[in-house]
């Protein structure tokens, strides 16, 4: 939903000349707490997401690549975050699922177009580090419709 602004200070012209229209786009969500949990290195974490609308987490870690040259955090539905990290090497990883962006060692990571950005529906979830090691910080903001 977009609402035209009543601001009349913008640039405008008539008769097919240039003009500026400003729209206000209200955020459709109501927000609750920002929650942070730690997924232990190589382990599993059970979390509960509050609210009534899905949320997209941010996952950060000082990640070490596993035997297959990757670091993976997987949700119980099979979706997850994958970073190609050479075996035994430690890189900083930040995956922002809401912004659909990932950085590895502060550089933008190139991802395939079909990259699976996980979201967390309200309720219980289990996250597992299925490749590699390194404590991961999972952060999300609860949302309501």
């Amino acid at each position: 939903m977009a609402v035209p602004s009543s601001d009349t200070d913008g640039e405008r012209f008539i008769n097919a000349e240039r003009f500026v229209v400003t729209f206000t786009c209200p955020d459709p969500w109501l927000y609750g707490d920002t929650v942070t949990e730690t997924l232990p290195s190589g382990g599993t974490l059970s979390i509960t997401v509050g609210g009534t609308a899905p949320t997209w987490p941010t996952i950060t870690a000082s990640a070490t690549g596993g035997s297959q040259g990757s670091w993976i955090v997987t949700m119980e539905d099979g979706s997850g975050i994958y970073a190609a990290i050479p075996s035994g090497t430690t890189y900083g990883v930040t995956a922002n699922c809401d912004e659909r962006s990932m950085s590895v060692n502060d550089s933008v990571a190139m991802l395939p177009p079909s990259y699976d950005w996980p979201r967390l529906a309200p309720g219980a979830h289990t996250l597992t580090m299925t490749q590699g090691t390194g404590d991961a910080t999972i952060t999300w903001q609860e949302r309501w419709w």
Side-chain angles (χ1 to χ4, degrees):
M1 180 173 84
V3 179
S5 173
S6 62
D7 180 9
T8 59
D9 294 336
E11 180 179 359
R12 60 199 171 281
F13 297 92
I14 307 291
N15 297 330
E17 295 293 329
R18 181 172 176 226
F19 63 94
V20 175
V21 176
T22 303
F23 290 94
T24 300
C25 300
D27 193 338
W29 311 108
L30 297 174
Y31 293 93
D33 293 334
T34 297
V35 182
T36 300
E37 297 282 349
T38 300
L39 172 60
S41 180
T44 298
L45 171 68
S46 294
I47 61 173
T48 301
V49 176
T52 59
T55 186
W56 286 264
T58 297
I59 302 172
T60 58
S62 179
T64 301
S67 60
Q68 296 178 8
S70 60
W71 177 83
I72 303 172
V73 172
T74 306
M75 314 299 173
E76 71 273 335
D77 67 358
S79 64
I81 295 297
Y82 169 89
I85 298 176
S87 180
T89 304
T90 302
Y91 289 167
V93 174
T94 300
N96 186 322
C97 298
D98 188 33
E99 295 178 0
R100 312 292 195 264
S101 67
M102 182 182 293
S103 64
V104 176
N105 274 359
D106 295 324
S107 296
V108 175
M110 297 301 292
L111 302 170
S114 62
Y115 193 82
D116 189 15
W117 294 102
R119 70 180 190 165
L120 300 172
H125 297 276
T126 301
L127 289 72
T128 305
M129 197 170 298
T130 54
Q131 282 286 322
T133 58
D135 289 355
T137 301
I138 316 296
T139 305
W140 70 92
Q141 189 168 22
E142 297 174 343
R143 302 187 318 171
W144 281 260
W145 296 108

